[in-house]
Amino acid sequence: MAHISWSDSFSQGQEAMKALSEILPSFPSSLLSSEDPSHNLLNNPEISSQITQLLRKPDSGAGDNSLCRWLYDTFQCAKPDLQLVVLKFLPHIAGVYLSRVPLRKPLAGFEAVLLALYSHETAFRNGQAVTVNIPDLCHSSVYHESKAGAKNNATELNLAVISPGLEPYGTVRSTRRARIVGVALELYYSKIGEMPVDSKIAFCEFCVVWAGEDGEVYRETDEGTDETNKVEEIKEKMKGLDADSEVRNDESSSGSSKGKGETKEGISTGRIPLPWELLQPVLRILGHCLLGPNKNKELYEAACVACRSLYARSLHDINSKAILATGSLLKLVKLNSKPMDKVDHTELTITDVITI
Amino acid sequence: MSGSTLAESGQLDNDLGVRQLSANGSRMKTSVVEEKLDEGNIQEAESALREGLSLNFEEARALLGRLEYQRGNVEGALRVFDGIDLQAAIQRMQSSITEKIPSKKGRSRGESMHAVPQNAAGLVLEAVYLKAKSLQKLGRLTDAAQECKSVLDAVEKMFARGISDVSVDNKLQETVSHAVELLPELWKLANCYPEAMSAYRRALLSRWNLDNECCSRIQKNFAVFLLYSGVEVGPPSLAVQIDGSYVPRNNMEEAILLLMVLLRKCCLGHAPWDPSVIEHLTYALSVCSQTSVLAKEIEEILPGLLHRTDRWKLLSLCFSASGQIENALNLLRKTLRKHENADDTVSLLLAAKMCSSNTFLAAEGLGYALRATDNAQGVHKHLEGAGLRVQGLCLGKLAKVSSSDSERSHLQSEALKSLDRAFSLEPNNSDLIFELGVQYAERRNLSAALRYAKQYIDITGGSVLRGWRLLALVLSAQKRYPEALVVIDTALDETAKWEQGSLLRMKAKLKISQSLHVDAIETYRYLLALVKVQRKSYGTNRIPFQASSSLAEDDRVNEYEVWHGLANLYSSLSHWGDAEICLDKARALVKYSAETLHTEGLMFQRRGQIKEALAAYVNALLLEPSYVPCKILISSVLAKMGPKMLPHVKTLLTDALKTEPTNRMAWYQLALIHKDDGRLADAADCFQAAAMLEESDPIESFSSIL
């Protein structure tokens, strides 16, 4: 049984790879005979960069786009390891999609993929809301005892809705767009441990684009390596997102020198409304990128930039909840950069006299 | 201890800074052993130790291993440890303990029996622990974790019945505490997250006699892991659950619980203050939208740990995020006092924004906004636009309560000026575009309002309901009803059905404006069907209703408004019976309402029951003293009662116009009064005002969508 399902998944992986090889401009042929196609699709940097380049093309999200078709089909095959491959590109799909909405371009291809992710999550949760019982220290818990004792058990705990219930949608209605993307990001978050680092970095870069604010003024001077050009780099990278900025890019490169205002505009294209249903999953993913157990310097720095950007944005919006969340992340970054907490408490005390 | 060794040790003690090995009361310099070790002669080093310090094989090895480890030669340490079969030693010790325990009779015998194994156990376990540490330093993390785990397994087996009431050997306790703290970190470094999770729980849920600081560190590390790892493993097993105690069901709950416990410990002085705890908790609770709980936690922090202005600022953010505007504002007022943190741009912006939603606070808010704009320098330079924006909002709100026409018009143009300046700084700020649209609409500059309304829909991609409503309202004010209907229909296509209430209500009103009463009734019927479904699917249970919808209360279909609207419609068609039924339904939902009384009065009036009508209007005003429509209606009734009523009529109308300067009915009534009095020029002015306003009258007031 196990063997059958393995070969099944293997052949589906191969199929997906073959289909992809017909879409990508130059598919590394050695991979076609790969032992573990799903793994290669997820982790091969060559494939990854070709896909992301295609996704950033000006006409990438149309309904007849073959890459979107491939992403949709690959996700719908319901093989978990192939679904991870699609999820890996969610930052790009969501990022390009949301930034392109105001341009009234055909985006049905992206929407199909996003709806597939949305309905997968809806089915998985059975449409139910995700809730959290906020603990109350008056009740004894496994981690502490309370003097108040059992008599308080009758009082209800605070119920927090982390993600409201889901209804099935067949199309992306514009007022539900943020929710659909938000739920897709919730799905991404639930698999974030399996996501490759480059996907998370891309996510952080899109956060900067969405926020549309340069938060580098909030960078602590003692925060390690110089990354002043980080935001500029991201702006540069994102230039291809929409046709307008592409034109601007051409102009500026022909003029060789870029005015300050021009680049500022560059980051502003792509600024999107950030309602809580979108911002909340974004903040959870960002928290992971910043403080998750797997330390990767490049990711950490990208997450710091994103966090500062979103902090600046929440100040602009005077959004208290977002100020609290992004502000606390920034303070944690600051606390992290101080060496005082670097003592290893599991180390033996070194003594001059060694005894048994 | 014999005299000779004492003397020897005394001599050695004098050489401070010389590293020594000590056991059984003897000491020797490390240099002797180290030389042999450096030559690779572990056995010679070992025998030197056994002779010099009268140790057995395992003790000597353990000591050697420790020496190598301390010297930083972890590979050497590993070689030494590999020479002893630690597992066998552990097993030997376990069996000796399990044999001896049943024979234990008296307390004193038990003590003496355990003293030895504890000491020996301490030695062996430390050796295993150091092996784990050495492996960790060599990057062999999984092996390290396995060794570390075996320390804990051994301790659990050896002391399955607990350690008798003798105090625990210091060294043994130290090793155990170290191993408990190290194990989850090792699994984490080895990317074995489920193992890390259970190691954390094992550390915190079994009794290891950890000191408070160590326990707090583990709790914090676990909370951080739960919050940010993104790995959901499931709740603690049933085995550890105590009756009636709270068991977290998922990562978020467990993390918040641990952070709260930690914070409580800090506040009680059981653990040193760690500023990161409150930051993690802030992140967790704000992501869960539970900022009122966060406020309670912050209030518990002892004075001195958090500067008071920081505390006030944090609390005000919490309160404003949970809608407790008054509390938030009171705290900000304290923060923004002269000698506190008067120039804090963020606090100023927050205070101004909250004030801008209340006409009575707008003046205060304007002060904050001006200060915020002035202070938007340096780091906060980029917030200048935000300052100008709240300035504009406060001015706009102030304009609504101004006592004179000229002042109002001045404030309105100042508001627009501020918003325009903000817009030039932040041309992509969608909220700002919307506010400009509303502000222009209220000034009845409909073409500008239309431009911004369209721009808002473009920039948000039509994703925000209020954008569609603003556009439809502006179009309705321009009397472009068919286009407004197209907008509403498009918006209906773009919304899920629970959010369609306000749109459908507008649609019905648009139909009425076009005298398509049958269509309007049809729309109301559809709304009622929606209400029914909504009640069926959510009404019985409060929680799923909350959970099902992220919408604000007013976005859902409001049943009262539907019945009331329908009553108005039937009454305008003189279908008195139907109108009565609808009014009854509305009254059943909201017992005392000026609007219901207004409709009731109108019905009486239309049927010629003037006294009853007047009573209804007056009652409405008693409920809501500033309810303008009834003031106008009363004045129209009184005006027909003869000239002696005229002063009252005039007072009522000027009163109405103060509250709603753009109410065309009030101007019209005033015109009629002037005409009856023979002041024709005044009458003409008022008629003209009424006519102009009518030309730009929206189907619902513009401020209804703010």
Side-chain angles (χ1 to χ4, degrees), chain A residues 104 140 143 174-175 320 346-347, chain B residues 69 129 254 320 458 462 494:
Chain A
R104 296 169 184 259
S140 288
Y143 292 118
S174 63
T175 56
S320 315
T346 64
E347 194 54 87
Chain B
Y69 181 81
Y129 178 71
E254 203 164 354
S320 86
D458 279 345
E494 297 290 350

Side-chain angles (χ1 to χ4, degrees), chain A residues 101-102 104 129 131-135 137 139-144 153 156-162 164-165 167 169 172-177 189-190 192 213 217-218 268 271 273 276-277 280 283-284 287-288 291-294 312 315-318 320-321 323-325 327-329 331-332 335 341 344-356, chain B residues 17 19-22 55 63 66-67 69-70 123 129-130 133 137 171 178 181-182 188 193 204-205 217 222 227-229 244-246 249-250 252-254 256-258 260 264 276 279-280 282-283 286-291 293 314 317 320-321 346 350 353 379-380 382-383 389-390 426 428-429 458-459 461-463 493-495 498-499 538 543 547 550:
Chain A
V101 161
R104 296 169 184 259
T131 57
V132 158
N133 276 311
I134 300 298
L137 292 190
H139 304 249
S140 288
S141 78
V142 287
Y143 292 118
H144 83 296
N153 275 353
E156 255 182 62
L157 290 168
N158 248 335
L159 187 75
V161 179
I162 293 201
E167 284 177 49
Y169 293 129
V172 179
R173 294 194 170 109
S174 63
T175 56
R176 300 282 79 209
R177 185 182 297 127
Y189 179 72
S190 70
I192 197 147
E213 300 291 342
V217 285
Y218 296 106
S268 297
R271 187 193 206 267
W276 188 244
E277 52 194 358
Q280 192 242 31
L283 289 173
R284 297 194 76 188
H288 166 88
L291 298 159
N294 193 351
L315 291 182
H316 272 259
D317 291 354
I318 320 179
S320 315
K321 208 165 22 174
I323 294 175
L324 281 170
S328 60
L329 286 179
K331 278 187 212 151
L332 286 166
L335 288 170
D341 204 30
D344 183 0
H345 293 280
T346 64
E347 194 54 87
L348 291 191
T349 37
I350 304 291
T351 52
D352 279 342
V353 180
I354 302 173
T355 53
I356 43 174
Chain B
R19 289 182 298 126
Q20 308 158 17
L21 294 156
S22 138
L55 297 171
L63 213 53
R66 167 122 197 209
L67 179 63
Y69 181 81
Q70 275 208 7
L123 188 73
Y129 178 71
L130 285 180
K133 280 299 281 184
K137 287 183 178 172
K171 190 161 187 178
H178 277 156
E181 190 171 349
L182 181 64
K188 216 162 70 182
Y193 298 142
L204 295 173
L205 295 172
R217 280 197 304 271
F222 187 27
L227 259 188
Y228 308 106
S229 68
S245 72
Y246 168 74
R249 291 173 309 161
N250 53 41
M252 189 60 101
E253 290 181 4
E254 203 164 354
I256 294 175
L257 173 64
L258 283 165
M260 284 177 163
R264 167 79 51 97
S276 69
E279 301 301 338
H280 288 299
T282 304
Y283 171 78
S286 49
V287 160
C288 294
S289 303
Q290 292 295 308
T291 49
V293 178
L314 264 179
L317 284 168
S320 86
V346 178
L350 186 61
K353 169 123 184 262
V379 181
H380 291 305
H382 68 106
L383 291 177
R389 182 183 147 210
V390 281
E426 298 186 18
N428 289 306
N429 187 333
D458 279 345
I459 200 167
S463 62
D493 282 341
E494 297 290 350
T495 34
W498 308 122
E499 296 153 79
Y538 302 125
I543 294 162
S550 54

